[in-house]
Amino acid sequence: NISIVVGVTDNLVPKINAVDIVKKVSEILGGKGGGGRPDFARSGGGSNIKKIPSTYSLVINIIKSF
């Protein structure tokens, strides 16, 4: 399985939720989600390593949108 960990600094938590990012990335990689807090979330889901590069653009677009 692929481990996914997302951290968001306190000043960005009102705009970006770490749990939302983890869930989206996990879904792309074939996982079922993840969880945590708005500032720190993780998932052990997903095993499709070929899809890892496609998650980069997702995360970059989320960051750029704020």
Side-chain angles (χ1 to χ4, degrees), residues 1-62:
N1 281 345
I2 302 167
S3 294
I4 305 160
V5 179
V6 176
V8 176
T9 57
D10 290 337
N11 62 317
L12 294 177
V13 168
K15 299 177 182 178
I16 302 173
N17 188 320
V19 175
D20 294 340
I21 296 172
V22 161
K23 286 182 178 181
K24 289 176 184 176
V25 171
S26 179
E27 183 179 311
I28 291 171
L29 300 175
K32 295 183 180 180
R37 304 182 312 259
D39 65 327
F40 183 82
R42 62 185 176 150
S43 172
S47 59
N48 191 344
I49 61 172
K50 292 181 181 180
K51 296 252 181 162
I52 290 174
S54 64
T55 64
Y56 299 152
S57 61
L58 168 76
V59 175
I60 289 169
N61 287 334
I62 290 170

